[in-house]
Amino acid sequence: MKIKIGTRGSLLALWQADYIQSKLESAGISTEIVIIETKGDKILDRALSKIGSKGVFTEELEEQLHSGTIDIAVHSAKDLQSELDESLSIIAFTEREKINDVLLSHKEIDISKELVVGTSSTRRVAMLRAYFPHFRIVDMRGNLQTRIKKMEDGACDAILLAFAGVNRMKYNDRIRHEFDNEQFVPPVGQGTVAIEISNKLDEKKASRIREICNDPETEQCLLAERAYLRELKGGCSIPVFGNGILVENKVHFTAGIISLDGQNIIKVKEIQKNETPEELGTKLAIRILSEGGKEILESIKAQL
């Protein structure tokens, strides 16, 4: 058995591909990594919200899944669009890392004072406007190393990132502040790696990959999170958030939406009862929409 692993070419994406490769090869499976450039990698002079939210970092990999050039595509789960083509499936989510957002800087900073902070995420921008209105925000695109270079060249004082990526790239010594994840609730999928396949993939291959790479606890949370995002029809450009934690085999789910200016935020929490994780996620999305989220969502889409 040989598995061709499709990935983007950034150092962080390659870390993820190497991580999956090591899992598979430790189980005796031969692998090959295939690097594929995506639209999100090519277009760096515009905010993500301006180049579309569907498949910005995944479309080209999915094309190669369809053609059979690769067997699996490895993604940051947070980059996956909420709705997949019916011919594609996610068969594994790896064990989740710490979910927090962090401020990274090459110098000492004081978050109580005015800072210039770089980020390309509408969710992070909205949350900074809500909780740190004294910060000035600049759009910051590119891979992690590119953004760090821009920061060091004076584009900003700090950049706002996911802890998982910072940790994987070993920049922990530059973390200057870790945000409380109860306040700065992360986006759906933050901190875990997802494996996507074409449904045409050999069943034995798919089953073996899932057996080796999938973390059942993380999967339960991601099923709820992705159902929530799917019901909201949210994408990379919509500042929605959702995070599940498994406690005694039940998903404890926090989810919500925030307006672009940070002035309106709806946040709800619920514990899974008799429903499936997907039913829980869908239920929270419907609740949020009925409690004012629909109006926030329509306002966001009109501005983007």
Side-chain angles (χ1 to χ4, degrees), residues 43-227:
I43 305 173
L44 298 176
D45 60 346
R46 277 173 277 165
L48 289 174
S49 59
K50 301 300 182 185
I51 59 175
S53 61
K54 186 176 180 181
V56 171
F57 293 115
T58 62
E59 184 177 354
E60 289 80 0
L61 278 83
E62 290 176 340
E63 288 172 358
Q64 300 306 312
L65 286 173
H66 285 304
S67 70
T69 304
I70 59 175
D71 296 305
I72 65 174
V74 176
H75 309 282
S76 288
K78 69 181 179 63
D79 290 338
L80 272 170
Q81 61 269 33
S82 55
E83 294 186 83
L84 298 182
D85 186 296
E86 62 182 15
S87 63
L88 300 170
S89 298
I90 303 169
I91 58 165
F93 295 102
T94 62
E95 184 177 359
R96 197 170 219 162
E97 290 193 59
K98 187 156 66 169
I99 60 172
N100 304 65
D101 282 341
V102 297
L103 273 180
L104 194 79
S105 184
H106 58 301
K107 59 187 179 182
E108 294 303 318
I109 58 174
D110 182 348
I111 65 165
S112 68
K113 297 180 179 177
E114 183 178 330
L115 292 172
V116 180
V117 176
T119 178
S120 60
S121 159
T122 55
R123 177 191 61 88
R124 288 173 177 149
V125 168
M127 287 187 168
L128 287 178
R129 286 173 174 163
Y131 303 121
F132 294 84
H134 55 288
F135 286 1
R136 185 161 65 85
I137 305 162
V138 294
D139 187 63
M140 187 68 71
R141 291 286 319 285
N143 64 43
L144 180 53
Q145 289 72 24
T146 297
R147 282 182 273 177
I148 287 174
K149 179 68 164 58
K150 288 179 180 178
M151 174 182 69
E152 291 174 341
D153 287 345
C156 60
D157 299 307
I159 45 181
L160 181 49
L161 302 160
F163 170 85
V166 172
N167 184 50
R168 291 166 185 168
M169 292 290 95
K170 303 188 184 305
Y171 287 111
N172 304 58
D173 61 333
R174 293 190 175 198
I175 294 175
R176 301 294 181 246
H177 179 72
E178 185 174 294
F179 293 96
D180 175 9
N181 61 44
E182 287 294 317
Q183 183 185 66
F184 258 68
V185 183
V188 165
Q190 184 150 295
T192 183
V193 177
I195 297 177
E196 186 181 22
I197 64 164
S198 163
N199 294 335
K200 294 184 293 185
L201 183 67
D202 178 78
E203 200 171 304
K204 288 183 179 178
K205 271 189 179 183
S207 178
R208 187 74 177 120
I209 294 164
R210 176 173 168 79
E211 178 187 348
I212 295 164
C213 298
N214 189 57
D215 180 68
E217 290 193 5
T218 301
E219 182 182 40
Q220 292 302 298
C221 297
L222 265 290
L223 289 174
E225 292 175 24
R226 288 186 55 75

